[in-house]
Amino acid sequence: MKILRNQFFNTIRNSLKTIVLSLIVSLGLFNINAQVQLKIEPGVLLNTESENLGLMLNIEPFIEISSNKVIGLRFGLALNPQRFETNDSSQFFFDDVNDNAILSFMPTFNHYFNKNYTRPYLGMGLGYYVFSSVDIANPSGGITEARIDNQLGFLLRGGVHWGKTKFGLEYNFIPKADIKIANDLIIGTAANSYYGVSIGFMIGGTKSTLQAQ
């Protein structure tokens, strides 16, 4: 009964390995011509319907390709962003007590509007979102798990860099997805899009235009 959940957390562990490997490869490929830096962004989700706390964590190696343009590769984890809707004909109920989560992987682009110490920016990304399984209950009292098919989604974000610190607001647009149990029976839908606010910290590399003192 916990196979899907175990697979999801195995995906998280594999994702962390991918992050480390990506950083090593990036440093090896770009160390001569560019300085790879790392951005870590903890934050909270806005307007969630979950009884549990909505949190997020983004880890993003990035490279400045000019004084006002940055490209990166974002690995994101959002906790409790999903909102569930049951089909009218379904006899199942969703368990809102347990946490749900979304992993995301995407290339990103940021544009900065000046070269000052305080620098407003806008950014975007297009990537892949991986969903955790969902606990459901039926009228007989049995508990089982349902799955949500992974999807492509779009990131839109903006904020301000202030020295080595970033304050940001982001919106992750993810199309609604069917919730399925055995034999691909659809019992409802999940609204996966979410807003989040974060504070970011940059590490690594030499002093850049984003880390002006």
Side-chain angles (χ1 to χ4, degrees), residues 110-123:
N110 279 2
H111 174 77
Y112 291 82
F113 292 96
N114 60 45
K115 301 178 183 180
N116 301 331
Y117 185 83
T118 301
R119 308 182 69 194
Y121 71 92
L122 286 176

Side-chain angles (χ1 to χ4, degrees), residues 83-152:
R83 296 174 297 280
F84 306 117
E85 297 178 6
T86 307
N87 289 346
D88 293 337
S89 59
S90 176
Q91 297 180 333
F92 293 92
F93 301 93
F94 295 106
D95 182 1
D96 293 330
V97 176
N98 290 326
D99 292 324
N100 61 78
I102 298 177
L103 282 173
S104 59
F105 314 87
M106 68 179 65
T108 60
F109 172 81
N110 279 2
H111 174 77
Y112 291 82
F113 292 96
N114 60 45
K115 301 178 183 180
N116 301 331
Y117 185 83
T118 301
R119 308 182 69 194
Y121 71 92
L122 286 176
M124 65 182 64
L126 178 67
Y128 195 60
Y129 290 79
V130 180
F131 309 113
S132 66
S133 59
V134 180
D135 288 334
I136 57 175
N138 57 40
S140 64
I143 302 293
T144 186
E145 288 185 338
R147 76 177 191 278
I148 304 172
D149 292 336
N150 303 327
Q151 298 185 58
L152 289 176

